[in-house]
Amino acid sequence: MKPEKLRVVYILPSTYDDDGYVLRYWRGILPSNTLCVLKSLTEGVVQAGELGDGVDVTVEVYDDTVQKIPVGRIAKANGRADTRLLVGFVGVQSNHFARVTDLALAFRELDVPVVIGGFHVSGILAMFDTPTPEVQRLLDHGVSVVKGEAEAPGALAGILRDAIDGCLQPIYDIQNPPDLGFAPLPKPDPDYLKHFKAGRMSTLDTSRGCPFNCSFCTIINVQGRKMRSRSAECILKGIEENYARGIDFYFFTDDNFSRSPIWEEVLDGIGGLRKRGMDIHFMMQVDTRAHKIPRFIDKAQRAGCYMAFIGMESVNPDNLEAMGKVQNDVDDYPEMVEAWHRAKVLVHVGYIIGMPYDTRESVRRDVEALMNKVKVDEASFFMLTPLPGSRDHQQMVLNGVPLDADLNNFDSLHETYRHPRMAPGEWSAAFTEAWETFYDKENMVNVMLRTCRERYWHMLWTFMWYRYSTLNHSHPMFTGLIRKRERKARRAPFPREGRLRYAWRRVKDFSWEVSTIVRLFFEFQEIWLLTRKPDDPRWATLADLRDKWAEVQRRVRESDLRGRCDEAAQATREMLSAAAERFRQLSDASRSLGGGLRRRLRRKAQEAEAYLRSFETQRQSWHQIVQAERYIRDGLVAGYEELAIRYVAKRRQFNAYRTDVIQRLKTGRLLTMNVSPM
């Protein structure tokens, strides 16, 4: 007897943390595009009558990163005679596979039909002749897997008809990437978006595929190297309809929007919507050559682009050549960043730690160059991971290279194989150090001082989030706000914790959250005080000093590598001379500063000139240069900050006092302290 109802439940799985708990949060950061796509596509199949008459179809979505998955409640529908149930796991990456296996087998124990799609399954079936053991295990338990994209003509309708008839196939092999021109545009689900911090933001893929040939990439082997796009008319209509629903921020999830065949139509169309009063903004992913496409940056700016996410990957040309990313030109990076900055677009780069020529020391140098030479605004670091579906993974498997057996670690945050130039643990340490260096207060102040006024608050809030994630040792793109743990949802190899021990874990989690938020408040209050008036001569001087100081540090490190003390000394002399001249100019030209401050600036200029004369009369040595660097940092840069922006000095005194109190509380020495903070 044919069922009267089909209930389709789409689930985006999460992953497990290193303690075996599901990564789940009170509020997420970025909603899943795949969930919205599959929900809209299923509704489109039903509306088109592809399932025939007489079957009522309902679609539900769950995101494991922000919602508890009620396996038992979902499975209850499977016992009704008039209803068929289908659970589909979507967007499944390799690091999701441990979690999705546990959930899929739990549903299969309750005799629920399960289908799994996503990049892991599609990548495995695209690169190997037979399923790998983890995929075969699911097939043996009656789970169906899907290779390819569901928009292919008749593909999703065929799976749903098989679900209605109760005869799902083990493997659905969708051979050719579909034409997306007439595919339904995903519609954001308001009930789903309420689980995310930015409820006005949605994701959207205007195109798929990538024309390049990077060896670590899975896109080209799963979605192809030929760019395919949705209809520009359909996209613009959807954006306009979404604006009426209160959605005005987008992340275009295209792997490379600048190579989309409809980029110009889309940007012109959004620009037209903005002229009609729709305040739409978006960020997009592009390549390092996008700024050279005629009119691209200008049209992106007019269309409301506020950030470009760029796959820079490395500043070492040997690494780029080894990984097949030959389209990137390291020498062109500073010009590229400046081109985006002229358009008042922030530059956020993806950067890979652990490429073939990386060492612990080279990563330090490269991150410093990324900050002080290339001058990007944000960086998201990843560890090189041979993801199933990539050419790297295929070659390692065929060559017998030992890989981590736990797919949960294939999240670009763990060491998954032995690096040729770094010992075990050293690679992870370099990765952690990269995060801590880039999101250190000093670099954040430098970035904020050169950020245009229109992007100031966005940049500040973003830095708060990235700094929070860095302190939490979590990736800001994969995490959320306020961690939630489910005591019973722990991975099988880990024992279930007792109630008291679990409660103590939660108390520690809460204490960490509170203390970290307090710490961030004081840190960013100082950052704000140092960067909040970029047009004021005092802040402009500070930006100039810090920029020159960062350049000196870079030149000294490069000179050290070459053993050229004379070059390092020259960079130091130039900094001392420039600082003295800047102090004199500010004290002579800025009558609005007040007589007292002008006199202090003249004294600071005289002090710098005296130190320069002393430096030049001494024998040039690395010891002398180190001392001069310390003087520049503490006497000139920090000294100027406290001299010209007086409340910075008071805030630093208070922060030092607060830190001392905390340390004394931890060590039981509170009674020996001076109770006056000033």
Side-chain angles (χ1 to χ4, degrees):
M1 178 177 129
K2 189 173 181 180
E4 298 175 2
K5 299 177 183 178
L6 172 64
R7 183 185 178 196
V8 183
V9 179
Y10 290 123
I11 300 173
L12 177 75
S14 183
T15 186
Y16 293 109
D17 66 15
D18 291 340
D19 291 324
Y21 285 102
V22 178
L23 280 172
R24 186 174 297 139
Y25 301 91
W26 171 65
R27 286 290 181 270
I29 298 301
L30 195 64
S32 166
N33 185 61
T34 308
L35 276 179
C36 293
V37 166
L38 265 295
K39 185 174 188 292
S40 299
L41 190 60
T42 302
E43 292 170 346
V45 166
V46 174
Q47 291 170 5
E50 294 184 63
L51 301 184
D53 298 326
V55 179
D56 180 28
V57 180
T58 60
V59 185
E60 301 173 35
V61 297
Y62 289 91
D63 188 331
D64 197 23
T65 64
V66 290
Q67 296 169 282
K68 182 178 178 180
I69 308 302
V71 174
R73 185 168 63 80
I74 292 172
K76 284 183 180 180
N78 203 45
R80 299 171 189 162
D82 63 341
T83 303
R84 289 275 196 229
L85 174 64
L86 176 65
V87 171
F89 289 96
V90 305
V92 179
Q93 306 278 0
S94 298
N95 63 302
H96 297 147
F97 219 77
R99 173 62 175 165
V100 84
T101 297
D102 289 346
L103 287 172
L105 295 183
F107 278 114
R108 290 302 297 141
E109 287 179 3
L110 299 172
D111 202 31
V112 175
V114 175
V115 176
I116 295 177
F119 268 79
H120 182 79
V121 169
S122 294
I124 288 294
L125 297 180
M127 305 299 282
F128 297 98
D129 295 331
T130 58
T132 45
E134 78 282 352
V135 176
Q136 187 60 53
R137 180 189 178 195
L138 292 176
L139 291 171
D140 293 342
H141 282 81
V143 175
S144 299
V145 297
V146 180
K147 170 200 166 192
E149 299 172 50
E151 287 91 346
L156 182 58
I159 295 171
L160 296 177
R161 282 195 296 267
D162 288 349
I164 292 171
D165 295 336
C167 56
L168 287 171
Q169 301 174 32
I171 298 177
Y172 290 89
D173 188 354
I174 303 171
Q175 293 284 338
N176 299 314
D179 178 6
L180 300 175
F182 300 100
L185 191 73
K187 297 178 182 177
D189 184 342
D191 290 334
Y192 173 52
L193 293 181
K194 70 182 182 182
H195 294 285
F196 293 85
K197 179 177 176 291
R200 296 161 47 206
M201 182 178 187
S202 185
T203 52
L204 176 63
D205 63 324
T206 75
S207 63
R208 295 180 194 165
C210 181
F212 298 116
N213 195 29
C214 307
S215 65
F216 54 82
C217 181
T218 61
I219 294 285
I220 56 179
N221 299 312
V222 175
Q223 296 183 343
R225 294 182 63 185
K226 181 181 178 181
M227 298 293 292
R228 297 163 290 119
S229 66
R230 300 181 185 275
S231 158
E233 181 182 0
C234 179
I235 291 167
L236 295 171
K237 180 181 178 183
I239 290 175
E240 186 172 1
E241 291 174 350
N242 289 340
Y243 189 82
R245 301 188 189 104
I247 295 172
D248 54 9
F249 277 78
Y250 286 92
F251 173 35
F252 292 163
T253 62
D254 310 44
D255 189 63
N256 194 342
F257 179 78
S258 62
R259 305 300 163 177
S260 169
I262 59 165
W263 71 260
E264 194 160 18
E265 294 175 73
V266 172
L267 295 182
D268 285 344
I270 298 176
L273 295 177
R274 287 172 59 83
K275 287 181 179 179
R276 290 165 48 192
M278 301 183 195
D279 192 22
I280 297 167
H281 301 273
F282 64 92
M283 67 174 291
M284 59 182 173
Q285 299 186 95
V286 297
D287 60 65
T288 57
R289 293 185 177 180
H291 68 292
K292 295 190 174 183
I293 300 174
R295 306 179 304 279
F296 184 76
I297 286 186
D298 290 340
K299 293 198 173 191
Q301 180 186 19
R302 287 196 290 270
C305 178
Y306 66 91
M307 179 179 289
F309 183 89
I310 301 173
M312 185 176 286
E313 321 305 6
S314 180
V315 298
N316 184 335
D318 293 333
N319 279 331
L320 297 172
E321 183 178 356
M323 306 307 294
K325 205 169 182 73
V326 294
Q327 68 270 22
N328 283 20
D329 181 358
V330 171
D331 293 333
D332 187 49
Y333 284 172
E335 179 189 335
M336 173 198 70
V337 172
E338 181 57 30
W340 286 105
H341 283 171
R342 285 195 297 269
K344 300 180 180 179
V345 176
L346 300 171
V347 176
H348 183 173
V349 299
Y351 197 94
I352 298 177
I353 306 291
M355 282 194 167
Y357 291 93
D358 280 346
T359 65
R360 179 78 179 271
E361 185 56 37
S362 75
V363 170
R364 288 193 183 109
R365 295 195 305 269
D366 292 347
V367 171
E368 185 174 12
L370 189 69
M371 297 188 303
N372 300 327
K373 183 178 181 179
V374 183
K375 298 183 179 179
V376 301
D377 303 301
E378 289 181 62
S380 284
F381 298 100
F382 304 88
M383 296 179 74
L384 183 63
T385 303
L387 294 171
S390 69
R391 193 164 69 251
D392 283 350
H393 178 265
Q394 183 187 48
Q395 288 301 314
M396 286 186 175
V397 171
L398 294 178
N399 294 336
V401 176
L403 297 175
D404 193 328
D406 187 357
L407 285 171
N408 195 71
N409 292 334
F410 280 65
D411 55 2
S412 300
L413 310 177
H414 291 82
E415 298 182 21
T416 52
Y417 66 97
R418 179 69 180 268
H419 193 276
R421 296 171 186 263
M422 288 185 273
E426 190 177 15
W427 185 3
S428 295
F431 175 70
T432 300
E433 186 179 0
W435 280 105
E436 293 173 346
T437 301
F438 195 93
Y439 293 100
D440 177 74
K441 180 176 72 70
E442 296 305 309
N443 186 55
M444 290 190 289
V445 168
N446 291 342
V447 173
M448 293 303 304
L449 283 169
R450 63 176 180 252
T451 298
C452 64
R453 181 179 297 277
E454 291 84 352
R455 305 289 176 236
Y456 180 88
W457 285 105
H458 177 88
M459 196 71 250
L460 188 67
W461 286 110
T462 300
F463 268 153
M464 288 183 189
W465 177 248
Y466 271 65
R467 177 65 174 158
Y468 167 86
S469 300
T470 299
L471 294 173
N472 194 25
H473 299 290
S474 60
H475 200 291
M477 298 177 73
F478 305 150
T479 190
L481 185 63
I482 304 180
R483 178 72 187 276
K484 297 172 71 175
R485 295 182 195 262
E486 186 181 347
R487 186 174 70 90
K488 297 180 180 180
R490 201 175 192 192
R491 198 175 175 190
F494 294 85
R496 182 181 295 181
E497 290 184 317
R499 296 182 185 277
L500 289 178
R501 186 170 182 177
Y502 176 76
W504 177 239
R505 178 189 290 275
R506 299 299 291 139
V507 167
K508 290 192 293 184
D509 287 346
F510 179 75
S511 299
W512 184 91
E513 292 278 355
V514 172
S515 63
T516 301
I517 290 172
V518 171
R519 175 179 175 178
L520 289 176
F521 172 80
F522 288 111
E523 279 187 3
F524 278 89
Q525 188 179 48
E526 184 175 331
I527 291 171
W528 174 72
L529 292 173
L530 287 169
T531 62
R532 69 192 184 96
K533 293 183 179 180
D535 297 331
D536 186 295
R538 290 176 292 171
W539 276 265
T541 296
L542 176 57
D544 186 52
L545 280 177
R546 280 182 161 272
D547 189 56
K548 285 182 169 61
W549 171 226
E551 176 65 14
V552 167
Q553 289 177 295
R554 184 182 66 80
R555 289 172 60 186
V556 168
R557 301 299 174 264
E558 290 178 352
S559 302
D560 189 15
L561 287 173
R562 294 194 296 268
R564 296 297 302 270
C565 181
D566 57 330
E567 294 178 358
Q570 178 60 28
T572 305
R573 283 194 292 270
E574 291 174 7
M575 174 70 195
L576 290 167
S577 177
E581 179 63 23
R582 197 74 174 89
F583 292 151
R584 284 201 177 277
Q585 290 176 352
L586 186 62
S587 64
D588 292 341
S590 301
R591 299 300 174 189
S592 61
L593 297 182
L597 178 56
R598 292 202 303 274
R599 286 192 295 272
R600 289 192 293 271
L601 285 169
R602 280 195 289 270
R603 284 198 296 269
K604 181 63 72 174
Q606 293 166 359
E607 176 189 312
E609 289 167 346
Y611 193 96
L612 175 59
R613 289 193 296 270
S614 173
F615 181 82
E616 290 177 327
T617 59
Q618 298 177 36
R619 179 177 175 272
Q620 304 297 301
S621 68
W622 288 110
H623 175 69
Q624 183 190 12
I625 291 169
V626 170
Q627 287 184 317
E629 282 188 304
R630 188 177 298 116
Y631 168 72
I632 293 171
R633 183 192 66 208
D634 299 334
L636 292 185
V637 179
Y640 172 78
E641 290 171 350
E642 297 178 7
L643 176 71
I645 310 171
R646 297 301 299 275
Y647 38 73
V648 170
K650 295 182 181 297
R651 175 52 57 198
R652 284 178 176 167
Q653 285 180 317
F654 177 79
N655 286 344
Y657 180 78
R658 180 180 59 85
T659 301
D660 184 50
V661 170
I662 293 172
Q663 280 300 116
R664 289 175 180 276
L665 283 171
K666 289 180 178 179
T667 57
R669 297 182 295 114
L670 187 63
L671 295 179
T672 64
M673 70 177 294
N674 181 355
V675 296
S676 174
M678 301 299 178

